Amino acid sequence: AQSVTQLGSHVSVSEGALVLLRCNYSSSVPPYLFWYVQYPNQGLQLLLKYTTGATLVKGINGFEAEFKKSETSFHLTKPSAHMSDAAEYFCAVSDRNTGGFKTIFGAGTRLFVKA
Amino acid sequence: GAGVSQSPSNKVTEKGKDVELRCDPISGHTALYWYRQSLGQGLEFLIYFQGNSAPDKSGLPSDRFSAERTGGSVSTLTIQRTQQEDSAVYLCASSLGLAGGHGGELFFGEGSRLTVL
């Protein structure tokens, strides 16, 4: 069975600092990988995804993530945090064996950005 | 509509009552999902549908929870004999899956907030 682990339920950074949100997965077959963001009082939206091809993927708002099969990781980064990045971030995996349908989410990491 | 629509947006009920939550997915989306979001618990997978079939119901917490989808479109999540621990935001999402050209992206509704007194 697949699982997703996000290290750190809360991460706090200063404005302009590097953002690093960690995600590790457990799966017998490398899954499809996603990061979603939930801004305060809003629904979830896709930040970026990895399905095939280049392992470094770029998403919206300057975020990127790298799929590392050897480390079973898909960490999310942004070089310089902005106040507007404060939100909750969810890593998710979907199962290749089900055609990418069943999608499991991590517990989420809340990002705080200090002025 | 253009997006995933859920109703009601808020529901307050008494312990022991039954509730129904409705989800209207994006037109043409073959897959439909239900998740539960509790404070500090992330998104808990409940069930997903491909068409009208539910290949995986493993996330339903108990036999008080059931879901159906008809006509490959609207879905209803029913919670019988509600308990206080059922209080949460219930999120619905739809997807075309990988074959749909969106790479398996889920499109979420705004959620139904359930409070059981």
Side-chain angles (χ1 to χ4, degrees):
Chain A
Q2 296 181 113
S3 65
V4 183
T5 302
Q6 291 184 239
L7 187 62
S9 58
H10 297 84
V11 170
S12 182
V13 300
S14 298
E15 193 172 21
L18 172 72
V19 175
L20 170 61
L21 304 181
R22 299 179 187 273
C23 172
N24 287 87
Y25 67 88
S26 172
S27 176
S28 57
V29 176
Y32 302 113
L33 297 154
F34 307 82
W35 277 98
Y36 287 82
V37 60
Q38 187 175 33
Y39 296 105
N41 300 314
Q42 293 187 29
L44 280 86
Q45 62 183 98
L46 183 72
L47 260 185
L48 50 77
K49 61 179 182 272
Y50 169 78
T51 55
T52 187
T55 56
L56 180 63
V57 293
K58 296 184 185 300
I60 61 172
N61 301 335
F63 283 92
E64 61 182 37
E66 186 172 11
F67 167 55
K68 292 188 176 180
K69 183 178 176 181
S70 61
E71 299 178 5
T72 61
S73 69
F74 191 57
H75 302 331
L76 181 70
T77 61
K78 182 174 180 178
S80 177
H82 191 272
M83 297 296 288
S84 61
D85 294 326
E88 188 150 23
Y89 293 80
F90 295 92
C91 183
V93 300
S94 66
D95 187 356
R96 290 179 187 266
N97 293 329
T98 64
F101 282 106
K102 182 177 180 180
T103 304
I104 302 297
F105 285 77
T109 298
R110 184 165 295 278
L111 176 67
F112 297 93
V113 183
K114 299 174 291 186
Chain B
V4 177
S5 178
Q6 291 188 246
S7 62
S9 55
N10 277 287
K11 176 71 175 180
V12 180
T13 190
E14 293 179 347
K15 177 182 173 181
K17 300 284 190 182
D18 297 351
V19 297
E20 284 190 353
L21 307 176
R22 175 189 167 105
C23 174
D24 198 345
I26 293 173
S27 178
H29 278 196
T30 54
L32 185 147
Y33 306 75
W34 285 99
Y35 293 89
R36 180 166 68 176
Q37 186 174 25
S38 306
L39 194 62
Q41 297 297 314
L43 271 71
E44 178 186 4
F45 169 82
L46 299 179
I47 187 171
Y48 88 96
F49 291 88
Q50 277 180 249
N52 293 332
S53 300
D56 192 329
K57 305 179 183 179
S58 63
L60 294 176
S62 74
D63 59 7
R64 296 186 296 106
F65 288 72
S66 63
E68 65 174 12
R69 188 181 187 195
T70 56
S73 182
V74 172
S75 176
T76 302
L77 176 69
T78 301
I79 309 173
Q80 296 178 308
R81 304 181 303 281
T82 52
Q83 304 294 313
Q84 288 183 332
E85 61 262 29
D86 299 334
S87 296
V89 176
Y90 290 82
L91 292 171
C92 178
S94 69
S95 168
L96 284 166
L98 292 168
H102 291 281
E105 177 181 358
L106 269 59
F107 295 82
F108 283 86
E110 295 292 317
S112 292
R113 181 177 297 278
L114 174 65
T115 302
V116 182
L117 302 177

